[in-house]
Amino acid sequence: MSRVRIVGGQWRSRLLDVTDVAGLRPTPDRVRETLFNWLGQDLDGQHCLDLFAGSGILGFEAASRGAASVVLVERDPRALDALHKAAKTLQASQVEIVRGDAVRFAQTTPRTFDGVFLDPPYNQGWVERVEPWLDRLVKADGWLYVESEVAIDSLGNWLPAKQGRAGQVHFHLMRRSRA
């Protein structure tokens, strides 16, 4: 079992266990540092969704930086177990863990979020499958973070405000088009 480090906020430097699950690749420290610099470090009062939670590092990082609530959606039982252990260890009362399919959650949840993290397994078409529900999931002035195996020029009404690449990872902070 490997570990991943929370890079900022109240749980800075805390390590989380990462279960060996096929397709699970936690967002690298450097990429998370860049993302949270883009977002302004402080997520006080925001409500966030980590739709393909995996290790949960994006969601726990958001909670560490002041998010009022974070929903982690994961379907793999081993990954879920690790998420529950991490939440308990951190005493992360603002983190809600949902066992389920990300697409089904996106289709059916009545909730909206200030920010959504999309970091699904690569080469399986997950981003395209959740795209039809993004406008409904994210508040009008909200943001969308997407990691993928390729650069993304647009995703429905969403355009990259900032983007980068680290090795095989393309990462994008997206905002809704004003047009």
Side-chain angles (χ1 to χ4, degrees):
M1 184 177 297
S2 63
R3 301 179 102 190
V4 64
R5 177 180 64 94
I6 295 175
V7 296
Q10 71 177 10
W11 300 319
R12 183 182 183 150
S13 300
R14 297 287 300 268
L15 295 171
L16 302 180
D17 290 333
V18 177
T19 304
D20 185 21
V21 173
L24 188 99
R25 23 153 215 49
T27 302
D29 289 6
R30 191 183 84 173
V31 173
R32 280 183 282 119
E33 286 176 18
T34 299
L35 166 63
F36 287 96
N37 283 337
W38 291 345
L39 291 173
Q41 296 293 335
D42 186 355
L43 299 182
D44 275 355
Q46 290 195 24
H47 300 277
C48 300
L49 170 64
D50 190 347
L51 197 52
F52 297 86
S55 70
I57 192 59
L58 290 170
F60 285 117
E61 192 80 53
S64 181
R65 294 165 186 264
S69 70
V70 178
V71 177
L72 306 176
V73 179
E74 179 56 49
R75 68 179 181 179
D76 184 275
R78 291 176 297 161
L80 277 163
D81 185 50
L83 292 173
H84 283 289
K85 286 178 183 171
K88 184 176 180 181
T89 298
L90 296 171
Q91 298 179 337
S93 59
Q94 71 276 54
V95 174
E96 176 187 351
I97 299 166
V98 175
R99 180 182 185 157
D101 178 82
V103 175
R104 172 76 64 199
F105 184 89
Q107 290 171 332
T108 62
T109 187
R111 296 189 264 186
T112 58
F113 300 89
D114 297 295
V116 174
F117 300 103
L118 289 181
D119 181 15
Y122 289 171
N123 300 311
Q124 297 180 27
W126 289 110
V127 171
E128 295 79 9
R129 285 186 235 168
V130 299
E131 185 219 330
W133 294 278
L134 293 176
D135 286 341
R136 195 175 65 74
L137 276 177
V138 186
K139 293 178 182 174
D141 61 345
W143 50 266
L144 177 65
Y145 172 74
V146 184
E147 274 186 43
S148 64
E149 65 277 16
V150 296
I152 298 174
D153 295 324
S154 66
L155 196 57
N157 293 322
W158 296 86
L159 299 172
K162 299 192 180 244
Q163 56 191 339
R165 182 176 179 182
Q168 302 282 320
V169 178
H170 293 266
F171 53 101
H172 316 78
L173 179 62
M174 304 183 91
R175 301 280 183 182
R176 193 176 272 120
S177 170
R178 301 285 179 220

